[in-house]
Amino acid sequence: MLDDLNPQQREAVQYLDGPLLVLAGAGSGKTRVITRKIAWLVNQCGIEARHIAAITFTNKAAREMRERVGELLPGKRGRGLTVSTFHSLGLSILRAEARRLGYKPRFSVLDATDTQQILSDILKNPDKAGLRQAAALISHWKNALLDPAAARQAAGDEGERQAAAAYQAYQDTLRAYQAMDFDDLIRLPVGLFREHPEVLATWQGRLRYLLVDEYQDTNGAQYEFLKLLAGPMGRFTAVGDDDQAIYAWRGADVENLRRLQEDWPRLKIIPLTQNYRSSQRILRAANSVIRNNPRLSDKNLWSELGLGDQVELVECRDDRNEAESVVMRISAHKFEHRTRFADYAILYRGNHQARLFEEALREAKMPYQISGGQSFFDRAEIKDLTAYLRLIANPDDDPAFIRAATTPRRGIGPGTLEKLGEQAGKRQVSLFAAAFEAGLQSLLPARQLEPLLEFCAFIQRIADRAEKEPAGRLLEELLAAIRYEEWLYDSEDDLAARTKWENVRDFVDWLAKKGEDEERSLIELTQTVSLMNLLEGREEAEPDAVRLSTLHAAKGLEYPHVFLVGVEEEILPHRECLEGARLEEERRLMYVGITRARRGLTITWCGKRKRGGDLVVCEPSRFLLELDPAEVKRAGAQSESQASREDGRKKLSALKAMLGGHAK
């Protein structure tokens, strides 16, 4: 089990004398360390798999880890192991302990669209920017474990005070809907553990050893969640890299790595510096940039994968020339080396940079894929079906009620919903419950009341069966009953309707298989789907296409050949991040970009770039000056013009010499 590990990896797997922090440099095999340690705990230390939890940030990372552990612990030995995201683990705890918090186990998990709609109603429809700002503030307060009262005290100006007041109303609305948002899935278990020591003791007994991936990306609430679960003994291995901490803008706190040493003075630190991804020259370029940051440990990445090609630094005339030049280089390299399109990635700081590269790739008839495109779950047809599932799982979910009751339309119009809303508000109950109130009958004539009651009865019938019957069968009945396919073809042109119906079929087949394979009811699947949508959506097969991606979205991925583009002042580093901690994070972003490359790395910048219709002069990024000149080969506008001038001088000298000879 340990034969193919290097000495530092082996030490990290075997160390069990206390809390451990593995500082895993880019490409240093951290997933291998985590999975081998799980197998070591089970096979060598006698800890049952059901008492171990491995915690990641994305569904993709969790699935990859689960597959690798499955190979190491086949059959019964791996049964009961928890491999999940932070939020999935929080969801499991909340399902089990919901009643202690005044929730029923069938609570809903709302997505960003629903939560913004609730906030919009509370704030009386402010502009979208104001709405986003309020949502971000509330999320920030939740991740800092501040309740509405504490948020009011922390508010620094009138805008923040208004957001704090909205926070209280927002929480009241969520509770009325028996719903939680994404941040609640960590915040509420922390509150539960603090207020109920016996619940914490139960979960500490259930999860006796924790392995946590990407620790540098944790926020305040996640840190506290893990601290409580790990207990004073610190039964954990945390794996992280302070050089790859690039998510401060969404609440991650790289200081959490330092806090580990304060909270557990016996913490052992093992750095992993051998890189299994990149050639030596790429790693030297990365090391030369990142050493300009203050760091927890001075990790100098190295590899046995050979020297590799020099890093190429290309100056382009302007942004259009940059896009055309990159696509031409990919085309020539692919032809020469018989590679795949998927071997190439174009990475940039901001999404706005993608357009010109898309145009150039389309012009060259090269297939490409943009990371961070629309999630499968964000498609209207999937959200329609998910609304029914949410309502079946939780009749108090008002946003789901409105969408399901009106898609497809079934005689429940705006007038009916308005009267229903009035009754629900007056009686302080959900829309579903209000439909059965005697008072509603005096507000609505029979022709409006009957379709409403028929719809509610239909939802009730499916809900009564949802815990017991196979999810696949119920979903087929649901689609047939609401005549969704027929409605699609009535309301869309044939091509759009066919595409949407195929997406619905894929979704239903996938859910049915998941329910069967994992023995999950429709109710459990519904909560899982809500969470997957919030985390990242469903993974689909990778096509053979050039990958376009932001640097943030590329973290954790690798490509044989990387083009890191637009490396200029005010882009990378971003114009709002030119000093202090924010500049350090931009440097880490540059480091992440460099270390995505396995064999070839080309970095480009422009002499001029179009901004607001005008061509403005650009400066190369300060990070380019930090690259070791010995590892860099320069090309492009300046180098070529210098070369042509040099060539011109040589020709002139030769001509003069020739003429001089004739004169003699």
Side-chain angles (χ1 to χ4, degrees), residues 220-442:
Q222 288 160 340
Y223 183 90
E224 194 62 23
F225 178 56
L226 293 167
K227 182 181 170 184
L228 287 162
L229 274 176
M233 295 292 291
R235 299 157 299 130
F236 68 81
T237 292
V239 180
D241 182 9
D242 52 329
D243 292 337
Q244 295 187 76
I246 58 171
Y247 293 118
W249 52 276
R250 69 178 190 202
D253 187 357
V254 68
E255 289 301 312
N256 285 346
L257 288 173
R258 291 182 180 83
R259 283 177 64 194
L260 285 172
Q261 291 173 289
E262 294 163 17
D263 288 330
W264 288 279
R266 289 176 52 240
L267 180 78
K268 181 167 179 72
I269 299 177
I270 299 175
L272 302 183
T273 55
Q274 183 173 355
N275 175 287
Y276 293 90
R277 175 189 300 159
S278 307
S279 65
Q280 289 176 45
R281 278 183 162 140
I282 289 168
L283 295 179
R284 286 177 196 165
N287 290 333
S288 67
V289 169
I290 202 64
R291 71 168 59 104
N292 292 281
N293 265 5
R295 303 155 81 196
L296 202 61
S297 163
D298 193 20
K299 300 185 301 297
N300 221 33
L301 293 183
W302 61 279
S303 108
E304 294 177 339
L305 298 175
L307 194 58
D309 296 335
Q310 278 183 302
V311 174
E312 195 156 7
L313 184 56
V314 181
E315 180 192 344
C316 304
R317 277 194 317 277
D318 54 42
D319 41 3
R320 188 166 292 280
N321 171 244
E322 178 183 45
E324 290 165 355
S325 169
V326 165
V327 170
M328 190 177 70
R329 282 166 179 269
I330 291 173
S331 181
H333 191 276
K334 183 179 184 300
F335 178 78
E336 187 181 345
H337 297 277
R338 296 286 182 265
T339 49
R340 299 169 67 239
F341 288 113
D343 290 339
Y344 302 90
I346 300 170
L347 308 182
Y348 36 78
R349 175 66 176 82
N351 276 312
H352 66 279
Q353 292 167 260
R355 186 180 61 81
L356 289 174
F357 290 96
E358 283 194 75
E359 287 177 12
L361 287 161
R362 279 202 299 269
E363 184 72 27
K365 295 185 171 48
M366 291 167 76
Y368 65 90
Q369 185 181 41
I370 297 189
S371 285
Q374 188 188 36
S375 158
F376 182 77
F377 292 101
D378 278 340
R379 292 168 184 165
E381 61 274 21
I382 303 304
K383 292 190 84 134
D384 290 342
L385 198 48
T386 306
Y388 280 90
L389 301 185
R390 281 170 40 194
L391 190 59
I392 289 161
N394 173 16
D396 295 329
D397 186 338
D398 281 2
F401 182 97
I402 292 166
R403 186 161 192 147
T406 56
T407 315
R409 285 227 174 264
R410 49 171 46 75
I412 303 171
T416 306
L417 288 172
E418 191 179 332
K419 290 281 191 287
L420 183 64
E422 280 174 27
Q423 182 69 10
K426 191 162 64 183
R427 300 279 295 143
Q428 292 294 292
V429 293
S430 68
L431 294 172
F432 190 91
F436 298 101
E437 293 269 330
L440 187 67
Q441 294 172 16
S442 62

Side-chain angles (χ1 to χ4, degrees), residues 455-615:
F455 169 70
C456 292
F458 166 67
I459 295 294
Q460 192 67 61
R461 284 196 302 276
I462 300 248
D464 290 342
R465 299 162 57 197
E467 293 279 18
K468 305 180 283 290
E469 297 187 28
R473 185 200 305 162
L474 282 174
L475 286 165
E476 295 296 350
E477 282 187 37
L478 172 68
L479 284 175
I482 66 174
R483 298 162 76 172
Y484 191 77
E485 183 181 13
E486 191 179 315
W487 175 77
L488 277 177
Y489 277 94
D490 284 345
S491 51
E492 304 270 2
D493 66 60
D494 278 6
L495 180 61
R498 187 163 66 248
T499 303
K500 289 187 172 192
W501 180 244
E502 283 169 4
N503 287 336
V504 168
R505 287 295 343 154
D506 283 351
F507 181 53
V508 169
D509 294 346
W510 174 73
L511 271 182
K513 186 174 186 310
K514 197 172 178 65
E516 196 178 325
D517 292 351
E518 299 177 16
E519 296 180 0
R520 291 194 182 196
S521 71
L522 192 60
I523 303 300
E524 292 170 318
L525 286 172
T526 299
Q527 289 175 323
T528 304
V529 164
S530 298
L531 184 54
M532 286 183 75
N533 183 17
L534 287 161
L535 284 167
E536 80 230 64
R538 196 178 64 159
E539 300 299 325
E540 295 180 4
E542 294 285 310
D544 182 21
V546 176
R547 179 60 64 100
L548 293 178
S549 173
T550 63
L551 287 162
H552 286 101
K555 184 171 172 286
L557 303 175
E558 56 184 71
Y559 304 93
H561 305 282
V562 166
F563 289 82
L564 186 50
V565 301
V567 185
E568 297 145 30
E569 286 293 295
E570 301 198 348
I571 292 182
L572 182 65
H574 190 274
R575 66 175 66 91
E576 292 173 13
C577 309
L578 298 177
E579 53 190 35
R582 298 180 80 176
L583 178 63
E584 288 167 15
E585 178 149 331
E586 293 291 298
R587 186 176 281 112
R588 293 195 289 267
L589 203 50
M590 176 78 174
Y591 172 83
V592 164
I594 293 171
T595 54
R596 297 313 92 201
R598 295 212 294 262
R599 294 196 292 279
L601 174 64
T602 303
I603 302 172
T604 67
W605 67 280
C606 300
K608 291 180 179 175
R609 183 174 293 276
K610 211 163 203 179
R611 281 203 194 120
D614 297 321
L615 269 179

Side-chain angles (χ1 to χ4, degrees), residues 632-649:
V632 174
K633 179 172 78 174
R634 293 177 181 272
Q638 192 176 8
S639 313
E640 284 161 11
S641 60
Q642 282 176 343
S644 61
R645 279 200 298 273
E646 187 62 35
D647 195 35
R649 274 198 294 273

Side-chain angles (χ1 to χ4, degrees), residues 161-203:
R161 280 189 285 278
Q162 285 178 2
Y167 179 13
Q168 181 65 66
Y170 171 72
Q171 280 309 109
D172 293 343
T173 307
L174 287 187
R175 185 167 281 278
Y177 290 172
Q178 283 285 296
M180 298 178 190
D181 66 15
F182 194 52
D183 300 317
D184 287 334
L185 300 182
I186 306 296
R187 182 182 71 92
L188 291 176
V190 169
L192 184 72
F193 289 161
R194 284 173 170 178
E195 290 163 30
H196 298 276
E198 73 285 3
V199 175
L200 176 58
T202 298
W203 283 93

